[in-house]
Amino acid sequence: MLGFSRGKDSLAAWLAMREAGIEVIPYHLYLVPGLRFIEDSLKFYEDFFGTPILNLPHPTLFRWLNALMFQPPERAAVIEAAQLPEVTYEELADLIRTDLDLPTAWNADGVRAADSPNRRMAMVTHGPKREHLRKVSIVWDWRIADVREALTRHHCPLPPEYEWFGRSFDGLDHRFLAPIREHAPDDFGRILDWFPLADLEVFRRGLAR
């Protein structure tokens, strides 16, 4: 299994696993349902790698909703009554294993030690392979040059939002919302369907300038 964010590191991990002859069952976790630029990107990578990609809600989506993030007051009672579950990544991986009847499958990711001090510390503390969780970071020791070389060698493009904000979609702050509003206004409207007050993040940043 591979947690596939569509980001450069998860793409590198998928390419490395494919080169090693490892069967990959990718799954993507969406932060907001139904964003067109993400769904189109997933379809592209399904065609590129020749395999379907499971598309499931990210645990952060439920956490945001339960915290009433960017929600108007009239939605609070409905969201609280829903009692949305907040599962861990490990619990989610186990649910996927159970659903696919793959109890011994390893869960891979594209975490790299060189990506940030926090990730380097995690690698030093836990290592790239955790037997008890059946979790492994495939490209943990790769540098960014290694990632770029793999993407170039396999003619694997990055998703379109790398041109908008330099990384895959990862939150509801101004870094992501303003470019999405500019480049994908229909998707920005979809975000507002789920988080109606998110446009205040863009408005607030505009006032601060």
Side-chain angles (χ1 to χ4, degrees), residues 72-86:
E74 61 269 19
R75 288 193 175 188
V78 174
I79 293 172
E80 290 170 351
Q83 297 184 335
L84 298 170
E86 294 188 29

Side-chain angles (χ1 to χ4, degrees), residues 89-105:
Y89 290 110
E90 288 73 24
E91 290 170 338
L92 181 57
D94 282 339
L95 289 171
I96 296 172
R97 290 186 183 101
T98 299
D99 186 60
L100 298 179
D101 194 23
L102 296 170
T104 62

Side-chain angles (χ1 to χ4, degrees), residues 1-3 13 17 22 97 105-111 123 127-131 133-140:
M1 293 159 39
L2 171 67
M17 293 167 74
I22 299 172
R97 290 186 183 101
W106 281 78
N107 185 29
D109 62 34
V111 172
M123 289 299 168
K129 184 177 180 181
R130 286 184 269 178
E131 296 278 354
L133 296 175
R134 299 192 70 79
K135 186 171 185 179
V136 60
S137 297
I138 296 294
V139 293
W140 70 275

Side-chain angles (χ1 to χ4, degrees), residues 45 74 83 93 111 115 118 120 161 182 195 202:
Y45 290 118
E74 61 269 19
Q83 297 184 335
V111 172
D115 199 43
N118 286 340
R120 178 175 295 279
E161 63 261 41
E182 176 184 355
F195 301 94
V202 180

Side-chain angles (χ1 to χ4, degrees), residues 2-80:
L2 171 67
F4 179 59
S5 68
R6 302 174 309 108
K8 64 184 188 308
D9 296 337
S10 66
L11 283 166
W14 195 344
L15 292 169
M17 293 167 74
R18 187 173 70 170
E19 281 188 341
I22 299 172
E23 180 183 0
V24 179
I25 299 174
Y27 64 93
H28 173 266
L29 304 178
Y30 58 80
L31 290 169
V32 179
L35 297 184
R36 176 64 61 186
F37 74 90
I38 289 179
E39 293 186 346
D40 288 349
S41 175
L42 289 174
K43 180 61 171 64
F44 172 84
Y45 290 118
E46 285 182 330
D47 294 341
F48 183 89
F49 287 100
T51 190
I53 300 171
L54 294 173
N55 195 24
L56 306 168
H58 199 294
T60 297
L61 171 60
F62 294 157
R63 178 169 54 83
W64 284 346
L65 291 171
N66 286 336
L68 304 178
M69 182 176 178
F70 293 132
Q71 299 298 325
E74 61 269 19
R75 288 193 175 188
V78 174
I79 293 172
E80 290 170 351

